[in-house]
Amino acid sequence: MDESEAVVAEWLRSEGHEFRHLGRDDPPDFVVDGDIAVEVTTISPPTERRMFQFFSDKLFKALGAAENGCAYPVFVEYEDEKMFDGTDEDKKKRELKRLITQELEAHYRNPNSGTWRHGRRVIPLCHGITLEIGPWPSEHPADYKYTVRGLGASKGEIVIPTLVENIQAAIEKKSAKPRIRERAEEYREWWLVVTSFYWPGQDGWKTVSDALVLKEPWKHLFAVNAPGRSRASQQLL
């Protein structure tokens, strides 16, 4: 399985489904409960995946292991999803790494100081980046002091249209795939599961689902958190 399929497998297991992964024999990626075909696709753009890897692997893990189980969730907001594109990418990353390391080391020593918004510690940085840190250590075991628990645009009007565009494109692409059309009658129903770093909340998902058009052979459409994020799922259609 690739990363997205592994996340969906975990979700299926948590929902109590029996399933098998078809591997090279797909589509579909999974057969669930004996006669349901499940196809998986990721809608996270490459730029966003690179950003997640930068914050999670290059920055937060470098701050070291959690001390006595004290680990904090971090929500990363950004204004420009292409901020790492261009000739000055390395310069931006070095500057952010220096600032974030400085700010989070100070926060770990004194987590109650600083500016707060909606119950989270807020740390504005350069290049339109803002960190929001949970007010208390995570309830779940964590290996590192800080873990990415959210990554996305800071303005909902950016997130929602991007989700609609990317999910609808995934529907169109998968619906037109010849092998899926050839095998459509072999299963009782087909589910399309998209994985995404974007997670706009209940109201946001309602807006997204209202704008989507589901096509054959899909009976249901689900969204599941992308690899590296805390587990969450949403039935869209």
Side-chain angles (χ1 to χ4, degrees):
M1 298 186 195
D2 62 23
E3 282 189 315
S4 294
E5 290 170 351
V7 168
V8 172
E10 181 183 353
W11 167 67
L12 290 170
R13 190 175 295 110
S14 72
E15 293 291 315
H17 295 290
E18 294 183 359
F19 62 90
R20 57 189 176 93
H21 181 244
L22 297 192
R24 294 181 180 179
D25 194 39
D26 70 353
D29 293 308
F30 297 96
V31 175
V32 176
D33 298 336
D35 58 0
I36 298 173
V38 174
E39 185 71 2
V40 178
T41 188
T42 181
I43 60 169
S44 297
T47 299
E48 189 178 52
R49 301 183 94 177
R50 282 166 38 217
M51 289 179 67
F52 178 86
Q53 290 169 350
F54 169 72
F55 285 103
S56 178
D57 299 338
K58 304 296 184 181
L59 279 175
F60 294 168
K61 289 183 180 179
L63 291 171
E67 299 174 5
N68 299 319
C70 185
Y72 292 89
V74 181
F75 302 82
V76 182
E77 291 187 351
Y78 58 86
E79 295 179 359
D80 182 7
E81 64 181 13
K82 297 182 179 180
M83 61 166 293
F84 286 161
D85 293 348
T87 57
D88 59 346
E89 175 182 345
D90 290 340
K91 180 181 178 181
K92 289 179 179 178
K93 287 183 175 180
R94 286 195 301 270
E95 186 175 9
L96 279 169
K97 185 174 182 178
R98 178 181 61 82
L99 288 173
I100 290 173
T101 299
Q102 176 181 306
E103 292 286 351
L104 292 187
E105 285 179 345
H107 171 267
Y108 206 78
R109 293 192 301 269
N110 188 7
N112 295 320
S113 64
T115 303
W116 293 74
R117 180 177 67 194
H118 305 308
R120 296 176 181 169
R121 167 75 187 281
V122 178
I123 302 177
L125 302 167
C126 56
H127 308 302
I129 297 290
T130 300
L131 303 183
E132 291 191 0
I133 306 173
W136 48 76
S138 171
E139 295 178 359
H140 305 289
D143 294 329
Y144 299 95
K145 293 176 181 177
Y146 295 95
T147 305
V148 177
R149 282 292 178 264
L151 173 68
S154 57
K155 298 179 180 179
E157 60 269 22
I158 297 174
V159 175
I160 300 302
T162 299
L163 275 172
V164 172
E165 180 181 355
N166 291 348
I167 295 175
Q168 191 63 53
I171 293 171
E172 302 289 342
K173 181 178 179 179
K174 291 291 186 178
S175 297
K177 195 170 182 177
R179 289 282 284 169
I180 290 178
R181 298 177 68 171
E182 291 169 4
R183 294 187 170 188
E185 300 301 322
E186 296 180 16
Y187 299 94
R188 178 167 59 87
E189 59 186 45
W190 285 70
W191 297 353
L192 181 59
V193 182
V194 298
T195 63
S196 174
F197 285 105
Y198 291 141
W199 209 258
Q202 191 72 27
D203 291 340
W205 280 125
K206 176 66 166 59
T207 303
V208 170
S209 63
D210 288 346
L212 295 173
V213 178
L214 201 59
K215 295 188 172 184
E216 294 291 340
W218 312 111
K219 177 70 173 180
H220 294 296
L221 174 67
F222 299 88
V224 177
N225 265 6
R229 298 198 56 186
S230 53
R231 182 193 298 163
S233 63
Q234 179 73 37
Q235 181 171 345
L236 301 180
L237 295 169

